[in-house]
Amino acid sequence: MNVLVLGSGGREHALAWRISKSKLLKNLFISPGNPGTAGIGKNVELEPGKQNIAEFCKTNDIDLVVIGPEQPLVEGLADFLRSENIKVFGPDGKAAEIEGSKSFAKELMQKYSVPTAAYKEFDNTEYGDASVYLKDYKFPAVIKADGLAAGKGVIICNNFIEAENALKEIFVEKAFGGAGSKIIIEEFLEGEEASILAVTDGDDYVLLPSSQDHKRIGEGDTGKNTGGMGAYSPAPVITSRILNEIESKIIEPVLEGMKKEGRKFSGCLYAGLMITSEGPKVIEFNCRFGDPETQAVLPLVGGDFLKLLYSAASGKLDKKAVNFPGGTAVCVVAVSGGYPGSYKKGLEILGLEDTDTAELIVFHAGTSRKEYRIITSGGRVLGVTAVLKENDLQKARTLAYGALSRIKFKDMYYRRDIGIKALKRES
């Protein structure tokens, strides 16, 4: 097969890396890709626009397009390519609204009795009403931009002053642009977070190994939300009993509900969960593979991943295409100093050649090539992933952090507590 992966981040590097191991693969193209994907396929620069992507697919006999980021999915790229008879892994625009609009996702969950936090929504004409509502709120409260905000549109407020500042930031200063024209004010859920990725054709599904992301910039889950500072897989908080609950109370009713709403979901349904004392509850849904969870999960997937994606895109999921032999993976994200605020680009990255071992993969997220040098080009720069065949989280952490100590760029920052919650749970 000839395959095109769309995107340039760590998630797309991980997808391309896993697809590159398929016996079914003939040619692998990544657009635009990054210096990491250049080593496993061919990076191609495509002119913006759906038609240009379709023309490339026809010229190069592309058998499957894998769309990495959420924005093109929400904008209906999958619909357009399918209308041109091109096979796509990824939901259509109507189904992608499960991520594109938090209020839609909440209404869907309410309608189909899917456990989630209590909430109320307000638009930017209701600034005063939102403020009045928060005056008597039992804090903490979670305030979310309704639309796409690159994983950063969530503010946790511990008191009314913080909540007022959040309203001002979203509605007045427009910190999240158009994504913040409507907000959700949501109950703060107590518990431990986990992520589940379901590869589905809309009817049937395969759950990939569980994982836990670390969203906040600071150790101990402090500071601002980011696109993700690291992940590990599997997450011991997801026991077999809880996994059964997630399937029966969340994944299955949502897939069934989406079908009933005329929005059949085909692709990767990501469930961001809080495991509370009352059981698993949904924090958010995404319409694509999680980032950085994908960098920790895919190394633990055996079998033929391309075969799984192709079968889902063809409407007949092959659940036997992949297997899960066990093991542990830890991904620690190295970011530019100042992220998620302003940061410098163009800084040379040193030490990448010292991390090439059987148990280490460095996924490129925000990098580019300048002559013979690899330089920073984004906030999240690298996802350093350690992978073991055995279940040994401590050893995997030691490997990942050992590799990070050999990589250097100016003002590089990473959290040193990725996976600590799981170790505490194990002990």
Side-chain angles (χ1 to χ4, degrees), residues 306-320:
L306 173 55
K307 191 176 185 184
L308 179 72
L309 300 188
Y310 187 81
S311 69
S314 302
K316 198 169 167 71
L317 190 71
D318 183 354
K319 296 176 81 167
K320 293 179 180 175

Side-chain angles (χ1 to χ4, degrees), residues 247-299:
E247 289 192 68
S248 62
K249 293 183 178 177
I250 296 170
I251 303 296
E252 287 166 11
V254 164
L255 290 178
E256 198 56 40
M258 290 291 275
K259 269 198 294 189
K260 285 178 180 169
E261 299 297 315
R263 299 169 185 258
K264 188 173 181 179
F265 189 102
S266 169
C268 177
L269 180 66
Y270 165 112
L273 307 168
M274 187 67 79
I275 312 305
T276 73
S277 57
E278 298 170 350
K281 294 187 179 184
V282 177
I283 302 169
E284 64 174 355
F285 283 115
N286 290 339
C287 62
R288 37 71 192 185
F289 288 96
D291 190 350
E293 293 98 330
T294 303
Q295 291 93 297
V297 169
L298 290 194

Side-chain angles (χ1 to χ4, degrees), residues 57-100:
C57 292
K58 289 172 183 175
T59 304
N60 293 276
D61 296 323
I62 297 297
D63 297 289
L64 181 67
V65 178
V66 179
I67 302 173
E70 61 276 17
Q71 193 77 45
L73 289 166
V74 171
E75 289 171 358
L77 177 59
D79 318 47
F80 179 79
L81 294 177
R82 288 190 184 108
S83 74
E84 298 281 316
N85 296 315
I86 297 162
K87 212 170 282 277
V88 185
F89 181 85
D92 63 26
K94 281 172 73 179
E97 203 174 343
I98 200 164
E99 177 172 5

Side-chain angles (χ1 to χ4, degrees), residues 72-350:
L73 289 166
V74 171
E75 289 171 358
L77 177 59
D79 318 47
F80 179 79
L81 294 177
R82 288 190 184 108
S83 74
E84 298 281 316
N85 296 315
I86 297 162
K87 212 170 282 277
V88 185
F89 181 85
D92 63 26
K94 281 172 73 179
E97 203 174 343
I98 200 164
E99 177 172 5
S101 169
K102 289 184 176 60
S103 58
F104 166 74
K106 281 290 195 183
E107 284 160 17
L108 182 85
M109 286 187 271
Q110 210 167 41
K111 186 172 180 179
Y112 294 97
S113 304
V114 174
T116 187
Y119 78 103
K120 198 163 173 60
E121 64 181 72
F122 298 90
D123 67 32
N124 53 11
T125 66
E126 300 170 304
Y127 188 157
D129 296 340
S131 183
V132 168
Y133 176 74
L134 284 162
K135 261 188 184 141
D136 301 319
Y137 202 86
K138 191 182 172 189
F139 288 94
V142 183
I143 301 181
K144 297 180 176 180
D146 181 61
L148 298 179
K152 303 182 192 75
V154 179
I155 303 172
I156 296 167
C157 307
N158 296 302
N159 51 54
F160 179 66
I161 292 168
E162 288 181 12
E164 273 282 83
N165 288 337
L167 289 182
K168 185 181 174 190
E169 195 179 328
I170 298 171
F171 283 155
V172 180
E173 296 165 6
K174 302 198 182 329
F176 307 121
S181 60
K182 188 194 284 187
I183 60 164
I184 299 286
I185 299 175
E186 195 175 75
E187 165 197 13
F188 180 83
L189 295 176
E190 298 276 1
E192 194 172 334
E193 283 192 52
S195 305
I196 289 289
L197 304 173
V199 174
T200 177
D201 59 6
D203 295 309
D204 212 347
Y205 62 91
V206 169
L207 295 188
L208 303 186
S210 63
S211 60
Q212 186 175 80
D213 185 14
H214 299 65
K215 281 279 182 210
R216 310 288 280 275
I217 187 68
E219 282 159 31
D221 295 327
T222 56
K224 287 187 174 180
N225 256 26
T226 71
M229 293 298 294
Y232 62 87
S233 179
V237 69
I238 303 286
T239 61
S240 56
R241 179 185 65 79
I242 286 176
L243 192 63
N244 288 338
E245 242 183 285
I246 291 165
E247 289 192 68
S248 62
K249 293 183 178 177
I250 296 170
I251 303 296
E252 287 166 11
V254 164
L255 290 178
E256 198 56 40
M258 290 291 275
K259 269 198 294 189
K260 285 178 180 169
E261 299 297 315
R263 299 169 185 258
K264 188 173 181 179
F265 189 102
S266 169
C268 177
L269 180 66
Y270 165 112
L273 307 168
M274 187 67 79
I275 312 305
T276 73
S277 57
E278 298 170 350
K281 294 187 179 184
V282 177
I283 302 169
E284 64 174 355
F285 283 115
N286 290 339
C287 62
R288 37 71 192 185
F289 288 96
D291 190 350
E293 293 98 330
T294 303
Q295 291 93 297
V297 169
L298 290 194
L300 302 183
V301 177
D304 197 318
F305 186 62
L306 173 55
K307 191 176 185 184
L308 179 72
L309 300 188
Y310 187 81
S311 69
S314 302
K316 198 169 167 71
L317 190 71
D318 183 354
K319 296 176 81 167
K320 293 179 180 175
V322 292
N323 55 66
F324 309 107
T328 314
V330 174
C331 171
V332 183
V333 176
V335 305
S336 299
Y339 175 81
S342 58
Y343 53 85
K344 288 180 181 172
K345 296 181 183 180
L347 305 170
E348 184 174 4
I349 305 167
L350 302 172

Side-chain angles (χ1 to χ4, degrees), residues 8-11 13 34-36 217 227-229 291-292 295 331-339 343-350 352 362-368 374-384 404 407-414:
S8 64
R11 166 186 48 226
H13 187 177
N34 61 42
I217 187 68
M229 293 298 294
D291 190 350
Q295 291 93 297
C331 171
V332 183
V333 176
V335 305
S336 299
Y339 175 81
Y343 53 85
K344 288 180 181 172
K345 296 181 183 180
L347 305 170
E348 184 174 4
I349 305 167
L350 302 172
L352 290 172
V362 177
F363 293 115
H364 290 236
T367 69
S368 56
I374 305 293
I375 60 172
T376 66
S377 64
R380 289 186 298 162
V381 179
L382 301 167
V384 177
L404 271 161
I407 296 170
K408 301 207 167 25
F409 57 87
K410 192 174 185 295
D411 298 327
M412 180 172 101
Y413 168 79
Y414 54 89

